[in-house]
């Protein structure tokens, strides 16, 4: 089967750096995606890692280690608008996309 | 604005009823996905269509069905509704099934079953 584990909540201070981890178990792994969802809004795509290593997009970076079945999303220079839920998602051989339960990021001023 | 549209935005109905949710994907996208999100829950994948054909199935109940039409819009039909079906239903689209890792979500339809 497929499963993902990510922390339910993370708290950080404005201007700081925060890392949201995701471990997965899946068959036929294709890659790891990250989505952001503000309260009452729709998920929006942030990043995708198919290969090991770090992908950087502005203040956000995403990392993947296929051998460890592990990835993380790194948010730098945190802003209040980054308060949201963050979901990791994996795709597998059967074309199904499985989303984690999400990590709610709280940012303190 | 993701370019994915969903109607209606809100829907209130009674148990036992049937409803249809509609989705129009981004221009050029061939794949459509349906998700259910309950309060404080993650996104539960229901079903995927690619260019009119069912491509992948998740935890979709037998009371639920979907289809994708030749113009690529999609409908999700929910029947014999139960209180537990109250949730936010999202439609998403991607260019094709090989790029399912990058999906664009519509604003969602909030279904309330009373």
């Amino acid at each position: 089967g497929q499963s993902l584990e990510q922390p339910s909540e993370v708290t950080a201070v404005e201007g700081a750096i925060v890392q949201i981890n995701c471990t997965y178990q899946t068959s036929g792994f294709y890659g790891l995606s990250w989505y952001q969802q503000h309260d009452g809004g729709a998920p929006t795509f942030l990043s995708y890692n198919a290969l090991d290593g770090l992908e950087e997009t502005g203040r956000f970076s995403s990392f993947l280690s296929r051998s460890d079945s592990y990835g993380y999303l790194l948010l730098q220079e945190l802003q209040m608008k980054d308060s949201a839920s963050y979901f990791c998602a994996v795709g597998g051989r059967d074309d199904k996309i499985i989303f984690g339960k999400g990590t709610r990021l709280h940012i303190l001023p | 604005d993701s370019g994915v549209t969903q109607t209606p935005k809100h829907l209130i109905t009674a148990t036992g009823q049937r409803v249809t949710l509609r989705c129009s994907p981004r221009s050029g996208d061939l794949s459509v996905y349906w998700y259910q999100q309950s309060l404080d829950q993650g996104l539960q994948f229901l079903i995927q269509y690619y260019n009119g054909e069912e491509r992948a199935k998740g935890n979709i109940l037998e009371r639920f069905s979907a289809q994708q039409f030749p113009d690529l819009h999609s409908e999700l039909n929910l029947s014999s509704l139960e209180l537990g079906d109250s949730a936010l239903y999202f439609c998403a689209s991607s260019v094709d099934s090989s790029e399912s890792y990058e999906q664009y979500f519509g604003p969602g339809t909030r279904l309330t079953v009373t």
Side-chain angles (χ1 to χ4, degrees):
Chain A
Q2 294 174 287
S3 66
L4 296 99
E5 293 290 333
Q6 54 180 128
S8 58
E9 289 185 277
V10 171
T11 300
V13 178
E14 188 177 16
I17 299 173
V18 71
Q19 178 174 313
I20 300 173
N21 299 319
C22 174
T23 57
Y24 60 87
Q25 183 177 354
T26 183
S27 57
F29 176 80
Y30 284 166
L32 183 70
S33 300
W34 288 93
Y35 288 79
Q36 178 192 60
Q37 185 180 27
H38 286 100
D39 284 348
T44 56
F45 173 77
L46 290 178
S47 67
Y48 173 68
N49 294 69
L51 303 175
D52 285 357
L54 193 68
E55 295 279 343
E56 297 182 59
T57 309
R59 295 188 296 114
F60 293 3
S61 302
S62 56
F63 172 82
L64 175 66
S65 169
R66 295 172 70 106
S67 61
D68 295 323
S69 297
Y70 163 77
Y72 65 72
L73 180 69
L74 191 73
L75 295 83
Q76 303 181 71
E77 300 173 19
L78 284 171
Q79 302 175 9
M80 297 305 292
K81 67 178 182 179
D82 297 330
S83 294
S85 291
Y86 292 85
F87 295 88
C88 57
V90 295
R93 184 184 301 121
D94 57 5
D95 286 336
K96 293 180 186 178
I97 303 297
I98 305 298
F99 281 77
K101 292 190 182 299
T103 298
R104 185 173 288 272
L105 174 61
H106 302 281
I107 298 176
L108 304 176
Chain B
D1 184 358
S2 67
V4 178
T5 60
Q6 287 186 251
T7 56
K9 195 168 185 177
H10 300 278
L11 199 50
I12 301 174
T13 190
T15 54
Q17 295 299 304
R18 172 190 169 95
V19 297
T20 297
L21 312 184
R22 184 188 167 102
C23 166
S24 291
R26 287 189 321 163
S27 177
D29 284 359
L30 299 178
S31 275
V32 168
Y33 311 79
W34 285 98
Y35 295 89
Q36 180 192 58
Q37 186 174 42
S38 302
L39 193 63
D40 294 331
Q41 292 294 309
L43 290 155
Q44 298 295 317
F45 169 68
L46 297 178
I47 198 164
Q48 178 200 356
Y49 279 84
Y50 171 71
N51 204 20
E53 300 289 328
E54 182 183 303
R55 185 62 182 248
K57 219 168 188 176
N59 299 322
I60 187 166
L61 300 171
E62 285 191 12
R63 299 183 288 108
F64 295 1
S65 65
Q67 56 184 327
Q68 186 180 28
F69 296 87
D71 67 353
L72 301 178
H73 90 271
S74 178
E75 292 181 355
L76 178 67
N77 301 296
L78 315 176
S79 61
S80 302
L81 285 168
E82 302 175 359
L83 295 178
D85 297 327
S86 296
L88 198 51
Y89 290 84
F90 286 107
C91 165
S93 71
S94 67
V95 173
D96 58 38
S97 60
S98 67
E99 295 189 23
S100 59
Y101 57 84
E102 184 173 348
Q103 298 180 25
Y104 292 84
F105 283 75
T109 293
R110 183 170 295 282
L111 174 65
T112 303
V113 183
T114 62

